[in-house]
Amino acid sequence: MAAASSAATACFLSPPPRPRHFLRHLARAAATRTSSPRPLALPAPRPRLRDLVDPAEAARRLLASAAGSLVVALASAALILGDPGGASAFVVATPRKLQPDELATVRLFKDNTPSVVYITNLAVRQDAFTLDVLEVPQGSGSGFVWDKIGHIVTNFHVIRGASDLRVTLADQTVYEAQVVGFDQDKDVAVLSIQAPKDKLRPLPVGVSADLLVGQKVYAIGNPFGLDHTLTTGVISGLRREISSAATGRPIQDVIQTDAAINPGNSGGPLLDSAGNLIGVNTAIYSPSGASSGVGFSIPVDTVGGIVDQLIQFGKVTRPILGIKFAPDQSVEQLGLSGVLVLDAPPNGPAGKAGLQSTKRDAYGRLILGDIITSVNGTKVGNGSDLYRILDQCKVGETVTVEVLRGDQKEKIAVVLEPKPDET
């Protein structure tokens, strides 16, 4: 068995015998190489880098790479040193493409924002425990610069009940404000601040008489305390009428707009597409208290005359009849049309002329007073009609008042007097 194994090993390890014809082939090949030698084939050399890349192009790429590394290094250093502004200076922002109307809106906001101010209404309150007297904010609103002297125009309801007022300009500087005058009937007030003239940028005053429904308008203000907010819309109605929140007296020719007007926008400007002042935002119609697409602005033609009187005289001289009248619903329930006189004080214009008040007799029965049906021949159907007529009259003017007294109609001459001073 061992002999067989060694024989098998020798069979695998020893080279097999070569045939004779193979030996003759090797001898012939050797003779051929000796007689005619063939040249040795060398591998082709690799191309050099300077043969593939242009030297000028290589230099340009090297400089670009070095510049990019430098920008990254400088930006990183700025961020490490805590200067994000310096880092942003090295960041190239992609230019934003805006439409022409967008550019016009951006320019309008940028040009007119410095003219809009933020007004804080402060009230005096006493602490219940320490009895210390403190000033606490009770409201805020907007306003705008009227002239270089430092007059600020806003709504009366923005400053109503204030013990102190502060005006914040666009650069966040705060100034104490003094009340120059106000008109409760038209919800307009004028303040005064002592600020450098270079910080005061009055708004250009436009005209509201030629406004059209559908033209674009822009409202700038501070809704909900948010600093300088722009809303856009169109004029959705003209010659609207709203009532003053302070006196209930109607404000005529009010502008209606769908530009969002929220609490805090009151007193801010309403601008046309040219950036001219056309109104003062004053109220919204909303069950929830937020903007519902129906906002109202006092036209600038009305505001201009009031502001001029307030700056010159500190008050608005407006004629009155000197009466208190019943709500319109009460007269309608009686089946009558006109203004029912509830009280005509003897020292007032109507009392002096002889108009009779509503009263009760000895048995407690109600005796109706005079019912005004017309003034100077113009029909009076309700209180708004009466106010509208008086707004067109002057102090000292004599008007003819037609009244229904019982079953008889009478005409009474009344000399209009100025409204008493308000504090």
Side-chain angles (χ1 to χ4, degrees):
M1 186 70 181
S5 176
S6 61
T9 304
C11 180
F12 281 102
L13 297 178
S14 300
R18 297 185 179 185
R20 293 180 180 180
H21 68 275
F22 180 73
L23 295 176
R24 288 197 300 270
H25 175 73
L26 289 178
R28 191 182 301 112
T32 304
R33 286 196 297 267
T34 306
S35 60
S36 57
R38 301 170 68 180
L40 180 63
L42 298 176
R46 294 182 179 180
R48 290 174 296 179
L49 180 62
R50 64 182 181 182
D51 295 331
L52 296 177
V53 181
D54 183 47
E57 178 66 17
R60 187 188 65 79
R61 293 181 180 179
L62 182 61
L63 289 176
S65 176
S69 301
L70 179 60
V71 169
V72 172
L74 290 175
S76 302
L79 289 174
I80 293 173
L81 295 176
D83 183 12
S88 63
F90 296 99
V91 179
V92 180
T94 304
R96 188 180 299 275
K97 295 182 180 180
L98 300 179
Q99 298 299 320
D101 60 333
E102 293 178 308
L103 291 173
T105 302
V106 171
R107 190 178 302 111
L108 181 143
F109 179 72
K110 181 179 179 181
D111 293 343
N112 293 284
T113 294
S115 303
V116 182
V117 303
Y118 181 70
I119 300 174
T120 305
N121 183 331
L122 301 174
V124 174
R125 296 288 185 271
Q126 188 175 32
D127 190 274
F129 298 98
T130 64
L131 301 182
D132 292 336
V133 177
L134 306 173
E135 275 191 340
V136 296
Q138 69 171 356
S140 62
S142 305
F144 55 91
V145 180
W146 183 260
D147 54 30
K148 284 282 188 179
I149 303 176
H151 290 121
I152 307 295
V153 176
T154 185
N155 287 143
F156 169 72
H157 73 262
V158 172
I159 68 167
R160 187 176 186 179
S163 60
D164 195 9
L165 294 165
R166 292 175 186 169
V167 172
T168 305
L169 299 183
D171 60 358
Q172 301 305 313
T173 54
V174 182
Y175 297 92
E176 298 288 336
Q178 304 296 325
V179 179
V180 176
F182 55 83
D183 183 5
Q184 296 188 47
D185 294 335
K186 303 300 180 183
D187 199 20
V188 177
V190 178
L191 310 178
S192 177
I193 60 173
Q194 300 296 325
K197 291 185 177 181
D198 58 343
K199 289 190 175 184
L200 299 174
R201 294 181 56 179
L203 281 175
V205 179
V207 179
S208 58
D210 56 356
L211 296 178
L212 299 173
V213 174
Q215 76 176 77
K216 290 185 177 180
V217 290
Y218 306 84
I220 303 178
N222 304 277
F224 304 108
L226 300 175
D227 185 35
H228 291 96
T229 301
L230 171 71
T231 56
T232 64
V234 298
I235 295 178
S236 50
L238 293 170
R239 299 178 183 86
R240 300 294 192 240
E241 183 176 292
I242 61 175
S243 298
S244 170
T247 64
R249 191 160 182 159
I251 307 174
Q252 292 89 22
D253 299 328
V254 173
I255 303 169
Q256 179 185 333
T257 176
D258 67 348
I261 299 176
N262 290 291
N265 274 116
S266 294
L270 187 71
L271 309 174
D272 61 11
S273 56
N276 296 321
L277 176 70
I278 59 173
V280 179
N281 302 321
T282 184
I284 58 174
Y285 178 78
S286 172
S288 63
S291 176
S292 60
V294 182
F296 299 101
S297 296
I298 306 172
V300 69
D301 293 348
T302 300
V303 173
I306 295 173
V307 170
D308 291 342
Q309 289 192 58
L310 292 176
I311 293 176
Q312 186 174 0
F313 304 109
K315 62 180 182 179
V316 174
T317 304
R318 186 171 287 114
I320 60 170
L321 275 177
I323 63 171
K324 293 181 180 179
F325 54 86
D328 298 334
Q329 296 84 352
S330 300
V331 181
E332 292 176 359
Q333 290 176 357
L334 297 174
L336 301 174
S337 176
V339 172
L340 173 61
V341 179
L342 293 180
D343 186 24
N347 57 347
K352 294 176 182 178
L355 268 71
Q356 295 184 2
S357 307
T358 299
K359 55 187 177 181
R360 294 185 181 273
D361 61 11
Y363 299 97
R365 292 173 297 187
L366 190 65
I367 301 177
L368 297 180
D370 291 338
I371 298 176
I372 301 174
T373 56
S374 70
V375 175
N376 283 346
T378 302
K379 182 181 178 180
V380 175
N382 50 44
S384 296
D385 293 342
L386 179 61
Y387 281 131
R388 193 177 298 108
I389 296 171
L390 292 177
D391 283 342
Q392 300 173 357
C393 301
K394 298 179 180 180
V395 174
E397 182 179 348
T398 301
V399 296
T400 302
V401 179
E402 184 175 305
V403 301
L404 178 63
R405 182 174 295 174
D407 296 331
Q408 303 293 326
K409 286 188 176 182
E410 298 187 15
K411 293 184 178 180
I412 303 173
V414 180
V415 180
L416 300 179
E417 297 182 5
K419 190 175 183 178
D421 291 342
E422 300 158 335
T423 59

